[in-house]
Amino acid sequence: MSGPLDKAREAWGADLPEWVETLAIECGKSSQNKVAAKLERSPTMISQALSRTYKGDMDALAERVMGVFEKAVVRCPALGTMPSHVCQDWRAKAKAFQTGNPLRVRMYRACHACPRLPKEQTNADT
């Protein structure tokens, strides 16, 4: 029986990105459901990424995998060094301005001044 790494290698061939390999290895160590839970994503998304059929934002998933499993970090002008998936979470929260929490207000402003925030997200506010 083939495992997640075999599935990924078969689907991706020579184009297998390092982050997909990491994802497959982590799925092999535990389970696809546990990996999905750690990534705060659906098991279906993980399966589709491994089989190269995911139609969503592969770059966003890659960033999440690298932040959670490869300890990738980014430098945030507001909070300092943080895992890349935490930055991704703050960027998602920055889609809407909320006044109830001073940190959310601070991060909204910081994220909207940051080059890591996609331009279409900042243009939606204007």
Side-chain angles (χ1 to χ4, degrees), residues 65-121:
V65 170
M66 290 185 289
V68 172
F69 295 113
E70 296 179 0
K71 309 300 184 213
V73 296
V74 297
R75 177 85 178 117
C76 174
L79 297 178
T81 302
M82 67 173 63
S84 63
H85 69 284
V86 173
C87 171
Q88 187 181 60
D89 291 342
W90 277 114
R91 290 192 317 263
K93 290 175 188 175
K95 289 179 181 179
F97 183 75
Q98 292 187 356
T99 59
N101 180 327
L103 181 57
R104 288 283 301 262
V105 172
R106 177 179 173 199
M107 291 307 294
Y108 177 87
R109 290 183 179 134
C111 288
H112 279 265
C114 181
R116 294 182 59 84
L117 188 73
K119 292 298 177 205
E120 64 273 6
Q121 193 169 326

Side-chain angles (χ1 to χ4, degrees), residues 1 5 20 38 40 46-47 53 58 63-64 67 69-70 76 84-85 87 90-91 96 108:
M1 187 170 142
L5 187 53
V20 174
K38 284 182 184 177
E40 298 177 341
I46 304 311
S47 178
T53 59
M58 284 286 225
E63 180 178 22
R64 191 137 202 104
F69 295 113
E70 296 179 0
C76 174
S84 63
H85 69 284
C87 171
W90 277 114
R91 290 192 317 263
Y108 177 87

Side-chain angles (χ1 to χ4, degrees), residues 25-71:
I25 290 168
E26 292 299 327
C27 287
K29 287 180 187 176
S30 59
S31 75
Q32 194 169 292
N33 286 342
K34 289 179 182 176
V35 168
K38 284 182 184 177
L39 293 171
E40 298 177 341
R41 299 298 182 259
S42 74
T44 302
M45 179 188 288
I46 304 311
S47 178
Q48 290 175 349
L50 294 176
S51 63
R52 201 177 188 176
T53 59
Y54 180 59
K55 303 292 185 209
D57 187 348
M58 284 286 225
D59 291 337
L61 182 55
E63 180 178 22
R64 191 137 202 104
V65 170
M66 290 185 289
V68 172
F69 295 113
E70 296 179 0
K71 309 300 184 213

